[in-house]
Amino acid sequence: MNKLSKVSVAVATLLATTAVSAASLDVRHEFKSHTDQHATRVKLGDSIGNFLVDIEAKFKGEDGKFMEDLKNNGWELGLNYRHKLNDNWTMTYGMPIEAREGGITYKPQVRATYSFDSIDGLSLSARYRYDMRQNTSKTVIVEGEDGPEFGTENVSNQRRHRITGNVNYAMDAWRFGFEANWYKADGYNIYDNDDTNYELNTSVRYVMGQWAPYVEFGDVSTSSEKSTRELRSRVGLTYSF
């Protein structure tokens, strides 16, 4: 068990044993239309005062197939602190930490959220995140004794800037969201042989007591070398307790 997995287990145990009033369990599945990839995420989150803590476990099938030969697709630990400045402005400071086979990514971030008095349920937010990927490696095909085989190749540590804008609106039991992300990599390509990329995502959620099913639709890239984009569809369910 690696270091992040041990921390994840400890955090999950803490969340399960601490008496709190704002915990949630979220299960989400996604499908990417062009690359034909399925992936699933399970997330346990909690708020303890102004501190927000969550742990994610990610899974995918072999070659991205639907629920077939599932394997670990990474873990993520989220640590955030929320500071309410007044009735309108809220600042959130955080440090998500993600672990995958290719390395660990540290994601220091800061988010500002403004809630409108004039339009009930409407809020805008902006976030800056700096992705620092360490101990990076990638899978490559090498020549073995019995022919070509899979191996790993070390890659220099990677740095990426991310700016996110959100528009959220709540109306009765409905929750609507729009998110736009812009990425800028430091010294490597991430989309269409360039060091910039973007993503767009819309979401609809319906709250039924402790349960909240939702769907999301996103416009995402498929490769660092091509301009091809694809539809990412997500369906999920959140249980609050």
Side-chain angles (χ1 to χ4, degrees), residues 146-167:
D146 300 321
E149 59 185 33
F150 289 104
T152 59
E153 177 181 298
N154 291 330
V155 181
S156 60
N157 295 331
Q158 297 176 336
R159 303 289 184 264
R160 186 180 67 176
H161 307 267
R162 181 193 302 194
I163 297 176
T164 304
N166 294 86
V167 180

Side-chain angles (χ1 to χ4, degrees), residues 100-141:
R100 291 178 181 265
E101 286 185 5
I104 295 179
T105 304
Y106 301 91
K107 308 175 182 180
Q109 62 184 21
V110 58
R111 179 189 294 272
T113 302
Y114 182 80
S115 300
F116 287 83
D117 290 329
S118 56
I119 306 177
D120 189 37
L122 178 64
S123 67
L124 303 177
S125 70
R127 180 187 67 185
Y128 172 74
R129 171 184 284 181
Y130 187 49
D131 296 330
M132 301 183 294
R133 191 173 183 182
Q134 303 291 119
N135 306 318
T136 308
S137 65
K138 65 179 180 180
T139 301
V140 295
I141 298 177

Side-chain angles (χ1 to χ4, degrees), residues 13 22 29 59 65 70 94 96 103 114 121 123 137 142 151 169 171 194 214:
T13 302
H29 184 81
F59 307 92
K65 296 181 180 179
L70 287 179
Y114 182 80
S123 67
S137 65
V142 298
Y169 182 65
M171 181 179 65
D194 197 6
Y214 63 90

Side-chain angles (χ1 to χ4, degrees), residues 87-103:
D87 291 339
N88 302 104
W89 287 99
T90 301
M91 300 295 297
T92 306
Y93 314 94
M95 173 61 90
I97 305 171
E98 181 183 25
R100 291 178 181 265
E101 286 185 5

Side-chain angles (χ1 to χ4, degrees), residues 66-238:
F66 178 68
M67 305 301 285
E68 183 176 321
D69 298 323
L70 287 179
K71 64 179 183 179
N72 178 19
N73 194 35
W75 299 83
E76 184 164 325
L77 172 65
L79 303 171
N80 296 277
Y81 179 79
R82 181 174 53 203
H83 180 206
K84 190 174 179 64
L85 301 177
N86 52 43
D87 291 339
N88 302 104
W89 287 99
T90 301
M91 300 295 297
T92 306
Y93 314 94
M95 173 61 90
I97 305 171
E98 181 183 25
R100 291 178 181 265
E101 286 185 5
I104 295 179
T105 304
Y106 301 91
K107 308 175 182 180
Q109 62 184 21
V110 58
R111 179 189 294 272
T113 302
Y114 182 80
S115 300
F116 287 83
D117 290 329
S118 56
I119 306 177
D120 189 37
L122 178 64
S123 67
L124 303 177
S125 70
R127 180 187 67 185
Y128 172 74
R129 171 184 284 181
Y130 187 49
D131 296 330
M132 301 183 294
R133 191 173 183 182
Q134 303 291 119
N135 306 318
T136 308
S137 65
K138 65 179 180 180
T139 301
V140 295
I141 298 177
V142 298
E143 192 65 32
E145 294 182 358
D146 300 321
E149 59 185 33
F150 289 104
T152 59
E153 177 181 298
N154 291 330
V155 181
S156 60
N157 295 331
Q158 297 176 336
R159 303 289 184 264
R160 186 180 67 176
H161 307 267
R162 181 193 302 194
I163 297 176
T164 304
N166 294 86
V167 180
N168 292 302
Y169 182 65
M171 181 179 65
D172 298 325
W174 291 96
R175 305 289 184 269
F176 303 95
F178 174 77
E179 178 176 284
N181 285 282
W182 181 80
Y183 302 89
K184 175 68 167 66
D186 289 344
Y188 64 98
N189 294 334
I190 54 177
Y191 170 58
D192 194 19
N193 292 311
D194 197 6
D195 61 359
T196 61
N197 192 11
Y198 70 92
E199 288 183 0
L200 304 174
N201 196 70
T202 60
S203 63
V204 179
R205 178 184 298 263
Y206 187 76
V207 181
M208 303 180 295
Q210 293 176 284
W211 298 93
Y214 63 90
V215 294
E216 298 181 11
F217 300 99
D219 170 23
V220 300
S221 62
T222 63
S223 164
S224 62
E225 300 175 350
K226 300 178 181 180
S227 62
T228 307
R229 304 191 67 83
E230 64 184 339
L231 174 66
R232 181 185 64 198
S233 303
R234 290 171 167 172
V235 59
L237 180 65
T238 303

